[in-house]
């Protein structure tokens, strides 16, 4: 049975406001002042990785920063987001087409579950997989492998990831599956094609068309 896996931030949900404000809050705790609108690079990769790569934090300091981030994210930031147009309609269409649907995000799984419940979308997903708080599952590839384990599905040809950044495309490639990129999120079409996306689409409606016609 064919399965479509979806990234969350930048693919199903526009979470820019919540993520950037929480990143700003965490950085401020370390004496770093940034404008929230300049922190979009926090969307997609694991938090600790971003603190280390962009601010030179040690692993220990990055873990503390991630804790500060979640201090604001849990009660407030998680809900500072909105669904992209046609998300529910597309999920329903794909499900009616006979595909299983899974969520595979680098966001902690507990937050993925809460968001799908908040938007009343949880019933569409056979599996909701995300990162673990202990860091054992953090990269996109590791989340995808965990999704595949829970689905009991190892045939790469029967799996397809929909994502918006190179982290999705490269993670899918590492896990041995194809990825279709979307340009309405936080990555560019050029970045997605350069990373090896199987196709690049401009809307959720186009995602539904692609899956029904070609997958």
């Amino acid at each position: 049975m064919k399965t479509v896996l979806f990234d969350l931030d930048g693919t199903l949900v526009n979470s820019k406001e919540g993520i950037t404000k929480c990143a700003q809050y965490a950085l401020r705790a370390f004496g770093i002042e940034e404008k929230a609108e300049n922190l979009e690079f926090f969307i997609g990769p694991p938090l600790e990785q971003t603190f280390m790569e962009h601010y030179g934090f040690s692993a220990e300091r990055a873990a503390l920063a991630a804790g500060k981030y979640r201090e604001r994210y849990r009660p407030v930031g998680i809900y500072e987001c909105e669904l992209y147009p046609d998300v529910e309609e597309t999920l329903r269409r794909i499900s009616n087409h006979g595909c299983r649907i899974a969520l595979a995000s680098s966001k902690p799984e507990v937050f993925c579950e809460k968001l799908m419940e908040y938007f009343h979308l949880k019933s569409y997903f056979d599996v909701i997989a995300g990162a673990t708080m202990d860091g054992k599952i953090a990269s996109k590839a590791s989340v995808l492998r965990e999704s595949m384990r829970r689905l009991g599905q190892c045939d790469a040809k029967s799996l397809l990831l929909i994502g918006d950044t190179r982290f999705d495309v490269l993670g899918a490639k590492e896990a041995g599956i194809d990825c279709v990129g979307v340009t309405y999120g936080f990555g560019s079409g050029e970045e997605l094609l350069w990373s090896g996306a199987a196709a690049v689409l401009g809307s959720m409606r186009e995602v539904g068309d692609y899956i029904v016609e070609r997958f």
Side-chain angles (χ1 to χ4, degrees):
M1 192 173 188
K2 292 190 175 182
T3 301
V4 182
L5 303 105
F6 284 92
D7 172 49
L8 180 57
D9 297 318
T11 302
L12 298 179
V13 174
N14 182 349
S15 48
K16 177 181 176 179
E17 180 182 358
I19 291 176
T20 56
K21 284 184 176 178
C22 290
Q24 182 186 46
Y25 175 85
L27 290 167
R28 191 173 288 140
F30 292 86
I32 302 170
E33 289 292 335
E34 295 274 22
K35 291 182 178 179
E37 58 265 31
N38 295 334
L39 297 173
E40 279 192 23
F41 52 79
F42 273 91
I43 304 168
L47 275 177
E48 288 87 345
Q49 175 185 325
T50 305
F51 283 116
M52 289 189 285
E53 288 185 0
H54 287 266
Y55 295 95
F57 282 18
S58 65
E60 182 179 9
R61 192 173 176 87
L64 291 173
K68 291 299 294 184
Y69 174 101
R70 291 172 184 138
E71 184 177 284
R72 184 185 185 279
Y73 188 80
R74 282 188 180 93
V76 179
I78 187 173
Y79 303 113
E80 293 174 323
C81 63
E82 61 183 1
L83 288 178
Y84 285 109
D86 302 314
V87 165
E88 184 167 9
E89 293 84 349
T90 301
L91 293 176
R92 186 184 302 116
R93 184 182 179 194
I94 293 168
S95 179
N96 290 340
H97 182 60
C99 292
R100 290 197 296 176
I101 303 173
L103 184 72
S105 171
S106 296
K107 184 189 290 295
E109 190 168 309
V110 62
F111 298 141
C112 296
E113 294 265 4
K114 284 186 177 181
L115 276 172
M116 293 302 94
E117 289 171 358
Y118 178 71
F119 287 114
H120 307 291
L121 296 176
K122 190 174 180 180
S123 63
Y124 289 101
F125 294 91
D126 292 276
V127 166
I128 293 177
T132 55
M133 291 293 194
D134 61 8
K136 290 182 179 177
I137 298 176
S139 69
K140 195 69 182 193
S142 64
V143 171
L144 288 169
R145 291 190 187 103
E146 175 61 14
S147 302
M148 293 162 71
R149 185 190 69 78
R150 294 188 202 174
L151 289 162
Q153 199 161 353
C154 299
D155 180 9
K157 292 181 181 178
S158 65
L159 293 158
L160 180 70
L161 175 67
I162 311 297
D164 68 305
T165 70
R166 70 181 185 279
F167 301 105
D168 298 309
V169 181
L170 296 174
K173 189 180 296 184
E174 188 177 339
I177 68 177
D178 284 337
C179 180
V180 165
V182 293
T183 57
Y184 56 79
F186 302 106
S188 68
E190 292 79 8
E191 168 193 339
L192 292 163
L193 286 170
W194 175 84
S195 301
V200 175
L201 307 173
S203 69
M204 276 298 288
R205 194 175 293 272
E206 289 181 32
V207 169
D209 290 342
Y210 182 94
I211 290 166
V212 168
E213 294 169 7
R214 306 188 190 185
F215 187 61

